[in-house]
Amino acid sequence: MTSIIEFTGTVLTGPDRERHGLWSVGGVLTFQRPASAPDLVLDGWVIPGLVDAHCHIGLGPEGDVPEQLAEEQAMADRDAGTLLVRDAGAVHDTRWIQHRADLPRIIRSGRHIARTRRYLRGFAVEVEPENLVEAVRKQARAGDGWVKLVGDWIDRDAGDLAASFPAGVLKQAIGAAHDEGARVTAHCFAEDTLDDMLDAGIDCIEHATGLLPRHLARFVEQGVPIVPTLINIATFPGIAAQAEAKFPRYAAHMRSLWERRAERVLAAFEAGVTIYAGTDAGSVIRHGRIVDELQALHAAGLPAKAALDAGSWAARAWLGAAGITDGASADALVCAEDPRRNLATLQELRHIVLRGELVR
């Protein structure tokens, strides 16, 4: 075990805060120089480990995966600089990851909750509206303070996206989760679904491709953040092409959502909606792509510093995890350049330190 690490470069304790002089002693960060000489000296720009706020370790294209594959997924995320994951639903029980010092920290949400036959096969607990509240309570108790709902999906009878659950039941279910001490997030593609979610008191929205001007003030007033998962939204044209022959209305809707993805994220940012970075890795998106998502947010119009904040300091504070502070776990990245000015430097990290150990 490496007892003392000295970080000799500029330390970014926030998007606009710099310090010099940081050490890891026994896996804990300190700004006080230790009495003993360091065992290891790392030079470069230092930031907290990145956060993937929408990730599915333990999930594959067919649903559950073997433990070995879940481990490989976690390793891929870690080696890309993701040291904290907010799970957004998985079949695989990933509690064991929390006992592995060499794997990212994970905040679990249990399994997705979806309407019967209205989601990807093998992924979710599927229920009808009358059983939604009970299912939410169960998943709230099974997770680490989060519940994941599938807010909308294609309704094959309607031939388009449609809400999964009635608004009244949704409000009861979110209230039940809050009673259990859990927050609720929801997969939402369509426009109208967002109104129901905001009315019901949702805590977070995933994807949020249906954001309209009428929603923005409510998101800000209610303090509801979004996790756009832009690298996943990039798959919409392919989804539309596959659906075109049988569901042309749905295909057109998905293309329209894709075409407006960047302008809607930028409008949200400019309106003051909080944005966090998430990849949606685990089904069609491979793990280890958090930097691609940060760059996609930047390409959508967010300043590089804001995009980095969405997957670093702000995301950690939102999830109750320490960044670079006295007494925090030594979960840090060392970059060759200032990542606030050049996000590409995150693609070639100099060093990754997790729990005080050099893992790369």
Side-chain angles (χ1 to χ4, degrees), residues 246-280:
K246 197 169 183 179
F247 302 108
R249 184 179 169 196
Y250 167 74
H253 197 173
M254 294 295 280
R255 276 193 293 269
S256 174
L257 294 173
W258 173 77
E259 289 166 355
R260 292 170 171 78
R261 67 200 184 283
E263 66 185 66
R264 288 177 172 176
V265 169
L266 180 57
F269 174 75
E270 291 178 340
V273 177
T274 302
I275 297 173
Y276 297 118
T279 63
D280 207 357

Side-chain angles (χ1 to χ4, degrees), residues 81 107 162 182 219 231 263 285:
I107 299 171
F219 270 86
I231 61 172
E263 66 185 66
I285 304 298

Side-chain angles (χ1 to χ4, degrees), residues 150-152 161-165 167 170 174 185-219 222 224-228 253 257 264-265 268 273:
V150 177
D152 56 30
L161 291 168
S164 301
F165 300 103
L170 191 64
I174 292 174
T185 193
H187 159 113
C188 295
F189 285 164
E191 295 84 354
D192 293 345
T193 315
L194 297 177
D195 298 289
D196 290 347
M197 291 294 172
L198 291 167
D199 289 345
I202 196 75
D203 300 290
C204 181
I205 293 290
E206 313 299 313
H207 316 303
T209 48
L211 272 173
L212 296 174
R214 73 170 189 259
H215 298 126
L216 297 178
R218 293 194 65 191
F219 270 86
Q222 294 178 217
V224 178
I226 64 171
V227 185
H253 197 173
L257 294 173
R264 288 177 172 176
V265 169
V273 177

